[in-house]
Amino acid sequence: MSAHERDTHFSRRAFLVSTTGLWISAGLPRPLAAAAAQRDEAPSVLSPDEWSAVEAISERILPADETPGAKAAGCVNFIDKALASEDAAALPLYREALQALEHACDARWKKKFVDLDAARQDAMLEDLESGSLPDWGAPGASQQAFFGSVRMHTLLGFLADPRHGGNRDFIGWRTMGFPGPVHHLGGAQPDQMSGKRRFAPIWERTPPRPSQS
Amino acid sequence: MSEMKDVCVIGTGAAGGVWIDACTRAGLDVVALERGPHLGPSDFRQHDELSNVHRGTGFAPTWQDTTRDHAAQVAQLGRSTMLARCVGGGTAHWGSWCWRFREDDFEVLSSEGPVEGANLADWPISYAELAPFYDAAEARLGLAGQASANPSGPPRHGGYPNPPHPPRRATQLIAMGAKKLGLHPFPTPMAINSRPYQGRAACINGGMCANFGCPVHAKASTLAIHVPAALATGHLDLRPDTRVIELVTGKDGRVLAARTLDASGRENEVRARTFVLACGGIGSAQLLLSSRSARHPDGLANGSGLVGRNLMFHNFTFVFFELPEPSLAALGPAGMVAIDDLHPSDASRGFIRGAVLGESAESGPIWSAYKAPGYLGENTRAWGKPLKDYLRRYPYLDGMIAVGEDLPQLDNRIDLDPTHVDAEGFPLARITYESHPNDRALHDFFDARLHEIALAAGATKSWSFDTSHTKGGTGHIMGTCRMGNDPNESVVDRWCRSHEVPNLYIPDGGCFPTSGGYNPTLTIFANAARTAAHFLESIARKETA
Ligand SMILES: Cc1cc2nc3c(=O)[nH]c(=O)nc-3n(C[C@H](O)[C@H](O)[C@H](O)COP(=O)(O)OP(=O)(O)OC[C@H]3O[C@@H](n4cnc5c(N)ncnc54)[C@H](O)[C@@H]3O)c2cc1C
C-alpha cells in the first residue's frame, strides 16, 4: 500500500495493513543496527526534544500499569537506533510530524507534548490516530502514517530482542509471557510442551543466553 | 568465458537443489549459480523475529517488488513476498509442512469442467506417476508423520520415515475439538527430524521454523541435504552471490550461456550443455522475460505468451483464538495438527476445490502484536491499556490456518515493472493478482469452519486475520511456467523442458498447472526428482546410442 492510499483510505483494516507493512519500501534497508543499539542510550539521530516527545508518546501507547511500560523498556532508544539505520526512510516523517504535533499542542494547550498530563496526551493521540488534528503543519507527513509508525515502532521496541536497543530487562517479553528464543535456551522437552513441566524463561536464567554464539 | 559444464543449475531452492543432487550423483559436472549467500546455522543464530518476520532482512535484505490488483492500476512499490535468497532458497526458511497432492489435484479441468474467468487445466502427469517420487522425497527429507492417518489423503504405501513430533498443549486441545465435530485430526507431516536421521540432528523444539533457518539443521532443506551431498561428490561448482541476469541463446535456438553478475558487480558468462532454471515461480519468469532477443522478442521460451501468467499463491485463511489454558505456542514447530476432512471438492458448498487446515501457533511476540486490532475489535483503540492487556493474553493464544486452492487466471501474473528497478538497475518483478470469486467463497467457508473448530477446542474468543492484501506473501509461488502437453497452452512439457528451447528445463514451483490446496513444496521436490531422472535417462540413452 502506498503512502497515498494509506492517507486516503484510512480504516481499521488499512491501519492493520500499514502497521504490519514495512517502512523500508521507500528505500533499501541498511545493515542491521543491532550492534550499534546495544545498551547505547544516547540519542543518535533524534534531538533531545524529539527523543523526549517520542518517549512520551510511546509511554501512552504502552503505558506503565501494574507492570512497566514503554519508557522503562527503552522503546525510544530502539526507535532512535532504527531511525538511524534500517528505518532511516521514516526519519523525515518523524521530524516533520513531531514538529507539527508540538505546534498543535501549543495551539490547543500552550504546552509541549511532554508537559501535558496523560489524559491530554491521549486526547492528542486520539486525534492524531484519526487524522483530525486541525491546522496540521506537515503536509508531507500524514497524522495517521506518523501515529501508525510510532505505534508499530513502540511495539517493536517493546518486543524485539533486547540487542536491538529496546525490551530492556526483557520487560516486553515478561509482559507477554514469551519465554525468549527457545533455541538459545537449549530447546524444550516434550513434557514442557505439554505443560507438565515449566519452561524457565530467559530472565530467570544466568547467564540469560547460555548458547548464543 | 568459463569452461563448458555439463549442467548449469540456476537457483538452489527445492527444485534446483534436487537437480544439483541428482546430476552430480550421476557423475555430471554441475555449476550452480545462486543469487544469495551461503548461510548456515551460525548466521541463523543471529536472526530474530525483528530481522526475519518484520523486516525480512534475514533472508532477502534487498527484496522489493511491485503489486497491483489488475492491469488498470499502477503497481505500488513494496515487499510482498517473503522469499529467501540464499543457498537452499525457500527451503532454508520454510515451515516444512509436507503434503502429497490428492489424485484429483492432477485433473482439475476434467473433474470440475471449465469455470468462467479461470484457466483450469489438468496436469500432464498423474498422481500414480508421481507417487514413487513422493516416497523417495519423504525418505530423503526424513518426514515425521503418522501413516494413513489422513482419511482424505491420496493412497500411499508404507509409513513415514520418522514418528510424529510430541504435541504441545494447544495441539491437543485443537485435536480434541476437531474430534468433537466429527473430524479426523492427525499430526501434520513435517520435514523436521523427530529423531536423529541420516546424519542430521533431532529437533530441539525451539519453535521459529517458518521464516527462520534451523540452528541445528533438524529441519530438512536443500541447504542441509542436497547441496552438501552434491559438494561431496566433487562434481559441484557452487557459486553463491552470483545472479543470473540473462540467458543467452545461440543461432540454433539453444541456451549458450548464463550471463551473471557477482557481488562485486563483475559480469561473467557461464556455459553449459544443459540449463536448469529453478529461480522459483517469480525469479524464473522474471529471468525469461528479461532474456529478450530478436528471435525471442517477448522473452525466452515464451512463444505461448504464458510465461509469468496463471500466477497462483494460495489463499491463506487465518483464525486466531484464546484458550482457557496456556497454549505453549513458543515451544516446538508451529503447526503440529492438521485436519483434511473438508478438502474434497463439493460444488454444493458454493465453490469448487478445497483446503487443508492446520494449527498455526502463536509463535512470536511481534507476530502476535500485529493482531491486536483484530482481537480488540473496531470499537476499542489498539493502543494504551487495551493494547497492553492484549499482550498479556499471549500465553493463551493460538491459531489455525487454511491453505486454500486458488484458481489459475490468465491475468494474474508476474511481469517486469515498467518503472521500478532494483539496486543493480534491473526491472523489479511486478505482481498482478486478484482473487477469483471462487477463491473468496472458499475463504469465507473455511474461515467459518476454523472458528467452529476453535470454539470446539474450548476457545473463549476467536477472530480472523485478513491477509488478502499480501500478494505472494504466502511464499507459495506457482503457475508462472505452466507444464502441459500443448505448446500453445503451456511453457514446459511434462518433463519440465521448454517446448521451444531444447536444452532448457524449468522444474520449480512455476510449473504447477493448478495449486492443489496443500503447501506445495513436497510436490516440487518429487516433481523435480521425476524430471531430473528423466533427463539423466535421456542422456544415458544418447550415450549408449
Ligand atoms: C515463510 C515461508 C514458509 C514456508 N513454509 C512452507 C511449508 O511449510 N511447506 C511448503 O510446502 N512450502 C512452504 N513454503 C514454500 C516454499 O518455500 C517454496 O514452495 C519452495 O521453496 C519453492 O521452491 P522453488 O524451487 O520453486 O524456488 P525457491 O525455493 O524460491 O528457490 C529459488 C532460488 O533461486 C534463486 N534465484 C532467484 N533468481 C535468481 C537469479 N536471477 N540468479 C540466481 N539465483 C536466483 C533464489 O535466490 C532462490 O535461492 C514456505 C515459504 C515461506 C516464504
Side-chain angles (χ1 to χ4, degrees), chain B residues 376-453:
Chain B
L376 294 170
E378 296 274 331
N379 301 320
T380 309
R381 65 184 197 204
W383 52 280
K385 177 82 174 149
L387 178 59
K388 200 142 171 243
D389 286 339
Y390 165 74
L391 296 182
R392 291 194 175 98
R393 300 309 300 159
Y394 166 78
Y396 298 90
L397 306 185
D398 206 60
M400 290 191 76
I401 183 177
V403 176
E405 179 163 350
D406 54 343
L407 303 186
Q409 301 175 71
L410 265 185
D411 290 341
N412 284 346
R413 65 189 293 202
I414 299 295
D415 65 358
L416 304 177
D417 194 278
T419 34
H420 296 286
V421 294
D422 60 27
E424 285 93 36
F426 297 97
L428 294 177
R430 175 169 65 178
I431 300 170
T432 305
Y433 185 96
E434 198 161 35
S435 293
H436 188 277
N438 191 79
D439 304 344
R440 289 194 285 272
L442 182 149
H443 166 87
D444 293 346
F445 174 86
F446 283 103
D447 179 70
R449 300 293 84 72
L450 292 179
H451 282 284
E452 283 165 10
I453 296 169

Side-chain angles (χ1 to χ4, degrees), chain A residues 2 12-13 16 22 29 61 63 65-68 87 126 129 151-152 163-164 176 184 187-188 193, chain B residues 45-46 48 54-55 61 76 79 166 168-169 204-205 328 370 380-385 388 392 395 466:
Chain A
S2 71
R12 272 276 173 204
R13 198 181 147 267
L16 195 63
L22 301 148
I61 288 167
D65 47 14
E66 318 83 274
T67 60
D87 298 335
E126 264 168 22
E129 184 187 22
R151 178 188 173 278
M152 194 67 215
R163 69 204 175 100
H164 295 288
M176 283 184 89
H184 284 299
M193 294 166 68
Chain B
R45 297 186 79 85
Q46 301 306 316
D48 58 35
H54 186 75
R55 288 183 171 147
Q76 300 295 322
R79 184 191 171 90
R168 75 172 71 79
R169 189 59 190 139
I204 58 169
N205 298 312
L328 299 165
Y370 284 168
T380 309
R381 65 184 197 204
W383 52 280
K385 177 82 174 149
K388 200 142 171 243
R392 291 194 175 98
D466 182 7

Side-chain angles (χ1 to χ4, degrees), chain B residues 21-280:
Chain B
D21 183 27
C23 293
T24 52
R25 194 188 293 233
L28 299 182
D29 281 322
V30 175
V31 55
L33 309 174
E34 168 54 56
R35 184 169 179 172
H38 196 169
L39 305 174
S42 57
D43 302 290
F44 302 154
R45 297 186 79 85
Q46 301 306 316
H47 291 174
D48 58 35
E49 213 192 353
L50 181 68
S51 62
N52 284 37
V53 176
H54 186 75
R55 288 183 171 147
T57 47
F59 283 103
T62 61
W63 184 286
Q64 287 188 299
D65 47 36
T66 69
T67 55
R68 57 181 183 171
D69 297 335
H70 52 75
Q73 293 175 336
V74 175
Q76 300 295 322
L77 184 62
R79 184 191 171 90
S80 271
T81 52
M82 310 202 295
L83 301 175
R85 267 185 197 151
C86 61
V87 174
T91 69
H93 76 335
W94 66 328
S96 89
W97 297 353
C98 275
W99 300 103
R100 294 176 179 221
F101 278 17
R102 290 160 46 88
E103 290 168 297
D104 64 299
D105 288 327
F106 297 90
E107 41 199 48
V108 174
L109 179 59
S110 42
S111 64
E112 306 287 355
V115 168
E116 202 190 323
N119 188 22
L120 301 186
D122 289 345
W123 290 50
I125 58 168
S126 65
Y127 174 76
E129 197 174 342
L130 203 54
F133 297 96
Y134 274 132
D135 291 341
E138 290 181 349
R140 196 79 202 281
L141 301 176
L143 254 62
Q146 186 181 322
S148 307
N150 178 8
S152 300
R156 52 176 300 136
H157 314 284
Y160 289 103
N162 289 309
H165 287 255
R168 75 172 71 79
R169 189 59 190 139
T171 312
Q172 297 169 330
L173 295 175
I174 292 169
M176 286 184 318
K179 279 187 195 145
K180 269 193 235 160
L181 297 174
L183 303 168
H184 300 85
F186 59 96
T188 308
M190 281 185 290
I192 298 177
N193 287 346
S194 55
R195 58 184 175 193
Y197 184 74
Q198 296 190 349
R200 288 184 299 115
C203 178
I204 58 169
N205 298 312
M208 302 170 85
C209 303
N211 288 306
F212 294 91
C214 183
V216 297
H217 276 333
K219 179 167 75 175
S221 62
T222 55
L223 171 70
I225 300 174
H226 304 74
V227 170
L231 286 170
T233 64
H235 289 297
L236 175 61
D237 173 1
L238 175 65
R239 300 191 196 168
D241 298 307
T242 303
R243 174 181 182 180
V244 176
I245 52 176
E246 190 187 354
L247 294 175
V248 185
T249 41
K251 288 202 186 71
D252 57 0
R254 298 167 70 87
V255 181
L256 259 184
R259 225 156 50 85
T260 62
L261 194 64
D262 70 18
S264 57
R266 258 194 315 266
E267 281 197 30
N268 197 355
E269 274 195 6
V270 176
R271 293 176 158 243
R273 292 183 182 84
T274 301
F275 286 81
V276 180
L277 183 55
C279 295

Side-chain angles (χ1 to χ4, degrees), chain A residues 143-208:
Chain A
Q143 299 180 38
Q144 293 102 328
F146 174 61
F147 181 82
S149 294
V150 193
R151 178 188 173 278
M152 194 67 215
H153 262 149
T154 300
L155 277 167
L156 295 177
F158 205 62
L159 301 175
D161 193 290
R163 69 204 175 100
H164 295 288
N167 195 5
R168 186 191 291 140
D169 300 329
F170 308 108
I171 282 174
W173 290 351
R174 284 176 201 247
T175 305
M176 283 184 89
F178 173 69
V182 176
H183 60 287
H184 284 299
L185 302 173
Q189 296 300 318
D191 60 346
Q192 295 174 311
M193 294 166 68
S194 64
K196 293 203 179 76
R197 189 161 60 90
R198 185 168 174 271
F199 182 85
I202 190 165
W203 54 90
E204 289 177 11
R205 303 194 184 212
T206 28

